[in-house]
Structure formats: C-alpha cells, structure tokens
Amino acid sequence: MSTEITVEIKNSLRGQGFLSLKDGCHFSVRIVIPAGQMTKEFSTKITEISEKYGRGYFTLTQRLDVEIPFVKYEDLDLVREELTKSGLIVGGTGKRVRSIHTCKGTVCRFGLYDTEKMTKDFTERFYKKYYDIVLPNKFRIAIAGCKNSCPKPQMSDLGIIGRKLGLVGIFIGGMNGSTQITGKEIAGLYTLEEAGDVVERAINFYKEHGEMGERFPKMVERLGFELVEKELIKQI
C-alpha cells in the first residue's frame, strides 16, 4: 500500500532538496554543485542515479546546480544516501542560505577576482555552516566577477560584483522572480575578505530583524536602506 503524499510531506521534503513535480507523485532531487564544477566522479554518480531511480537524465539549474527529475517518493532516502556517500550535497532549498550563484570570473578574461574560489569558500562558510539555521525566508547570494553582472547580483538578496582588481562592490535588497526588486549598492569598495564579513553580518542581521516569511529585500524596505547599510559596514 503506497503512502499518501500530503501537502505537509511535500513541503517538508522541499526544504530538504526534494521538489514535488506537477504529476503529484514524483520528485526532482536537487544537488548543490559549488561553482558549477562537476568532476568526472560526480557526473558519473549523478548519471548512475538518474538511470537507476529517474528516467536516465538530469538537468542544470540557473544557479549551476543539478536536478534529477522523476524520482519516486519511496526512493528519496536511498538516493540521498547514495549521493551523500559520494560526497554530493542534496539541498539548495528552504528558509536558509541557498547555494551560491556565480560566474566564470576565475577563467573569464573580464574577471577581476577568483569567483570560483570565493564561491567554494562561501559554500563552506555560509551554506554549510548556516544550513541548520532557519531564516525568515530564503537568502540568495550572487557573485559576479565584473561589471557585466552575468549572475545578476543586483537581483539577489546580496550580490557581489568585481569593480577593480581584487576589489568588489556589494548590492543588497535585490530580488528576482514573480516580484522583482533591483538592489542598491552600499558605499565603498571591499577586499574579498571584507566582503565575506559583510555577507555574514547580513545573514545574522536578517535572522535577528527579519519577520517570519519576509524576504530580505522587504526587510530592507521596511527598516530603510541606510540603516541596514550602516549595520553591515560598521567597523569594516
């Protein structure tokens, strides 16, 4: 006898990286791929899982992650166990810091800093470290290596953009999707280390001052850009 997949179950699974498909009985399994760097071992394992539990293919997301669609509800725990044993991360959803959206600034001729390294560092420091910390809502970070802004840092909760060699600008309060808000750039330019400190302050400020269900940009609107800016860059 099959288990009834209630709305409560679907919502719980969504927060763990299992997204219900519109057929109501299958799921996409989201896998975080830091900086979009896929090794041979990882791609082989994902292909194996897709063939064993899905329909033999996987898709790439806008944030350079991977999704395996058409996985059955009863196979989700097995899929997570096999992926985790291979060093892959199931997740990237829920009211928490999301996987980091980045560009190819490390190798791109326009890149002004090592975006791939920053993305991997941020994945460890913010995605993994804060994974079990529930925020008022999702918190998205985008990293752009230059003014071309390929990952659209102005449209993320917090966005980093290369301005000069080794120096970045920081946008806060952007949002994409059904509601679109263009973020504003805070004053000054920052070293990569300083940018990381600003990100950490933004996450903690959001945790303390955001209202449940409120997105970070809406909090910035409610409290005022100048107040939030002041709190994020003090002592920098």
Side-chain angles (χ1 to χ4, degrees):
M1 186 174 181
S2 60
T3 302
E4 179 186 0
I5 310 174
T6 64
V7 172
E8 290 76 14
I9 289 174
K10 290 179 181 178
N11 288 340
S12 175
L13 290 170
R14 182 178 181 83
Q16 301 172 52
F18 303 117
L19 311 177
S20 176
L21 301 186
K22 62 182 181 181
D23 67 7
C25 58
H26 289 93
F27 293 80
S28 274
V29 179
R30 183 171 295 175
I31 305 166
V32 177
I33 309 294
Q37 290 188 343
M38 181 82 74
T39 65
K40 175 185 175 183
E41 291 74 20
F42 284 172
S43 61
T44 298
K45 174 52 68 174
I46 292 171
T47 300
E48 290 176 357
I49 295 293
S50 302
E51 292 173 343
K52 184 176 180 180
Y53 296 104
R55 294 189 178 176
Y57 72 92
F58 57 86
T59 61
L60 305 179
T61 74
Q62 180 186 16
R63 305 180 76 79
L64 303 181
D65 292 329
V66 164
E67 286 187 12
I68 303 174
F70 293 105
V71 177
K72 296 178 181 178
Y73 170 71
E74 54 266 30
D75 290 332
L76 294 179
D77 285 339
L78 294 172
V79 170
R80 172 161 45 195
E81 182 179 355
E82 289 194 33
L83 290 170
T84 301
K85 284 182 177 179
S86 299
L88 288 159
I89 307 167
V90 177
T93 56
K95 293 181 178 180
R96 56 174 57 91
V97 177
R98 295 293 186 88
S99 55
I100 315 301
H101 192 191
T102 191
C103 70
K104 301 300 180 181
T106 301
V107 296
C108 175
R109 63 194 179 98
F110 297 114
L112 295 169
Y113 64 100
D114 191 340
T115 56
E116 293 176 4
K117 183 180 185 304
M118 174 177 274
T119 301
K120 290 179 179 179
D121 290 345
F122 278 18
T123 298
E124 294 293 328
R125 182 175 178 182
F126 304 125
Y127 179 78
K128 292 185 179 180
K129 177 182 174 182
Y130 284 87
Y131 186 82
D132 293 325
I133 297 176
V134 177
L135 298 176
N137 210 317
K138 69 184 76 172
F139 187 85
R140 288 175 168 166
I141 302 168
I143 293 174
C146 73
K147 64 181 181 180
N148 287 332
S149 300
C150 294
K152 299 180 177 62
Q154 302 90 340
M155 306 302 292
S156 284
D157 297 291
L158 188 147
I160 294 173
I161 183 170
R163 290 299 190 196
K164 295 182 179 180
L165 192 63
L167 293 175
V168 299
I170 301 173
F171 286 88
I172 61 170
M175 183 163 63
N176 209 351
S178 58
T179 299
Q180 297 184 340
I181 301 173
T182 301
K184 296 180 181 180
E185 189 168 2
I186 64 178
L189 294 179
Y190 302 88
T191 66
L192 306 188
E193 181 179 355
E194 289 170 340
D197 292 340
V198 172
V199 172
E200 190 146 33
R201 287 184 180 180
I203 295 169
N204 286 310
F205 187 85
Y206 182 38
K207 180 177 179 293
E208 293 173 10
H209 299 280
E211 298 175 351
M212 187 53 61
E214 182 181 44
R215 288 291 304 274
F216 183 79
K218 292 298 184 179
M219 182 201 70
V220 173
E221 286 184 352
R222 176 171 57 83
L223 297 178
F225 173 83
E226 290 77 14
L227 184 150
V228 179
E229 176 189 43
K230 180 180 178 181
E231 289 298 314
L232 299 189
I233 63 176
K234 65 182 180 181
Q235 299 178 352
I236 294 286

